Every structure is written in C-alpha cells, then in structure tokens.
C-alpha cells in the first residue's frame, strides 16, 4: 500500500464486512483471509481509479469515438 491512509481505509472496510458477514465465506479457507483479501483489493482498485481518472477518461473517450464516431 502506498500510504497509511489507504491501509486504514482497507482496515475499516474489512471491519465493516466482517461485522455484517453471514456464513457466505464458510469453506473459503477462512473468513478472515478472504475478507482481508477482498478489502485490500477493493481499496487498491479504488485508489488506482482515483489516481488515474484523467487517463482512464481519455481512453474511454477514444474508444467511444472509435465505436460510435465523433457524434457529428
């Protein structure tokens, strides 16, 4: 993780999921590991999208123009 803030967010997300979980994660080798993985990957993905939002937006516009034309 790039910062302690993201790590704290992942911990808070893990806590929220763990408190509200049911028996959905039974049989996955342990609920703690599965929930920690989900929380960490979600937080890292969100941080990636936020930090690269301008690049992602430009690529989406390029694909949109190639698929649907320039809109003229």
């Amino acid at each position: 993780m790039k910062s302690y803030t993201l790590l704290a967010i992942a911990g808070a997300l893990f806590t929220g999921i763990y408190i509200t979980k049911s028996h959905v994660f039974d049989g996955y080798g342990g609920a703690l590991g599965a929930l920690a993985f989900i929380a960490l990957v979600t937080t890292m993905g969100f941080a990636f999208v936020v930090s690269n939002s301008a690049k992602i937006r430009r690529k989406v516009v390029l694909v949109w123009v190639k698929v649907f034309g320039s809109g003229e």
Side-chain angles (χ1 to χ4, degrees):
M1 299 290 295
K2 294 184 179 192
S3 71
Y4 289 116
T5 305
L6 291 177
L7 191 59
I9 292 170
L13 182 62
F14 170 80
T15 302
I17 294 171
Y18 185 74
I19 288 173
T20 60
K21 77 167 181 72
S22 61
H23 296 288
V24 174
F25 295 103
D26 289 345
Y28 285 102
L32 291 177
L35 291 175
F37 175 75
I38 291 168
L40 187 64
V41 168
T42 302
T43 305
M44 290 175 67
F46 181 72
F48 175 78
V49 168
V50 168
S51 67
N52 293 318
S53 63
K55 292 178 186 176
I56 293 171
R57 191 176 307 121
R58 279 192 301 255
K59 289 181 182 180
V60 167
V61 168
L62 285 174
V63 170
W64 183 272
V65 168
K66 284 185 178 182
V67 171
F68 297 108
S70 63
E72 297 175 355

